[in-house]
Amino acid sequence: MSRLGRKPIEIPEKVNVIISNGEVLVEGPKGKINLKILKGIQVKIENSKVFINREGEQKQIKANHGTMWSLLRNAITGVVNSFKKQLEIEGVGYKAQIEGKKLLLFLGFSKPIEYSIPEGINVSVSQNIERKFIITVEGINKEKVGQVSAIIRGFRKPDPYKLKGIRYVGEKLKKKERKAAAR
């Protein structure tokens, strides 16, 4: 059995978990998430704890066991404390701003990049002491927060030679040296 899958998931007081028609609905103070129960998995609620069991020993069902546990735990955590990722923009003339439901990124191209912020995700832009722009992506769905952060980072990935571009806060980059001219 999956080591994590065997552990029950505690349901906090503010969270309501409902199982119906092969789906799990998790409601909390920040919002609600609807999860589909994966094939070969049973979900039960007893004494304010969620138990996840599997119906067989096939390889895919074993994989689904741990995955379902992780998805459900992230959903319960997300409706109580939302997930957050931060990106920083570094480069001369690079900046970001919010206009309505769009994120405008000025990254050295001839036109700014407009990114429509998906439903359920909050994006904010601030400037720190070193004049770098910090983009904060926040939401209750961990997968969606990570996906939006990866898309924003993909607009101008960090350059290993000049160390400019969009990167996660705390991400370490190793600066590469240019090739020396052949003599």
Side-chain angles (χ1 to χ4, degrees):
M1 264 193 146
S2 167
R3 276 187 251 159
L4 289 175
R6 280 185 278 180
K7 292 182 180 179
I9 303 169
E10 294 280 337
I11 302 173
E13 288 181 27
K14 303 172 188 174
V15 178
N16 189 17
V17 180
I18 302 165
I19 302 169
S20 66
N21 299 331
E23 291 186 343
V24 179
L25 177 68
V26 181
E27 291 181 291
K30 301 260 182 173
K32 58 184 174 181
I33 298 176
N34 202 7
L35 293 172
K36 192 172 185 180
I37 297 175
L38 299 175
K39 183 181 174 186
I41 302 298
Q42 294 175 338
V43 180
K44 295 178 186 171
I45 301 172
E46 294 175 10
N47 302 330
S48 73
K49 292 182 182 181
V50 178
F51 292 91
I52 299 168
N53 300 312
R54 60 178 182 227
E55 297 171 351
E57 294 297 317
Q58 291 88 357
K59 190 174 184 177
Q60 186 60 51
I61 292 176
K62 286 181 178 182
N64 287 350
H65 188 215
T67 302
M68 189 67 210
W69 183 88
S70 182
L71 291 173
L72 198 53
R73 184 185 54 122
N74 287 339
I76 290 171
T77 304
V79 296
V80 176
N81 311 316
S82 56
F83 293 101
K84 179 166 76 167
K85 285 203 176 220
Q86 289 186 317
L87 301 135
E88 67 181 354
I89 299 177
E90 187 169 323
V92 177
Y94 289 11
K95 64 180 184 175
Q97 66 188 43
I98 301 283
E99 275 190 16
K101 288 292 285 175
K102 291 188 178 193
L103 173 67
L104 289 177
L105 297 166
F106 299 89
L107 302 172
F109 299 119
S110 61
K111 296 180 181 175
I113 296 170
E114 287 186 17
Y115 178 69
S116 296
I117 301 167
E119 199 68 33
I121 297 291
N122 296 325
V123 177
S124 61
V125 177
S126 62
Q127 199 171 2
N128 67 4
I129 300 165
E130 300 153 0
R131 292 186 147 177
K132 293 181 188 174
F133 285 88
I134 305 292
I135 301 171
T136 305
V137 181
E138 197 170 357
I140 62 172
N141 190 333
K142 186 176 184 177
E143 183 181 355
K144 218 175 193 182
V145 169
Q147 183 65 39
V148 169
S149 299
I151 289 170
I152 292 171
R153 183 180 183 269
F155 290 133
R156 181 67 99 168
K157 289 186 179 172
D159 179 22
Y161 297 103
K162 297 178 184 174
L163 300 180
K164 64 181 189 175
I166 302 175
R167 61 175 155 221
Y168 296 110
V169 171
E171 181 180 0
K172 301 286 184 205
L173 294 177
K174 188 175 180 182
K175 187 170 181 174
K176 289 185 174 181
E177 294 294 323
R178 296 269 182 199
K179 287 186 179 179
R183 294 181 192 187

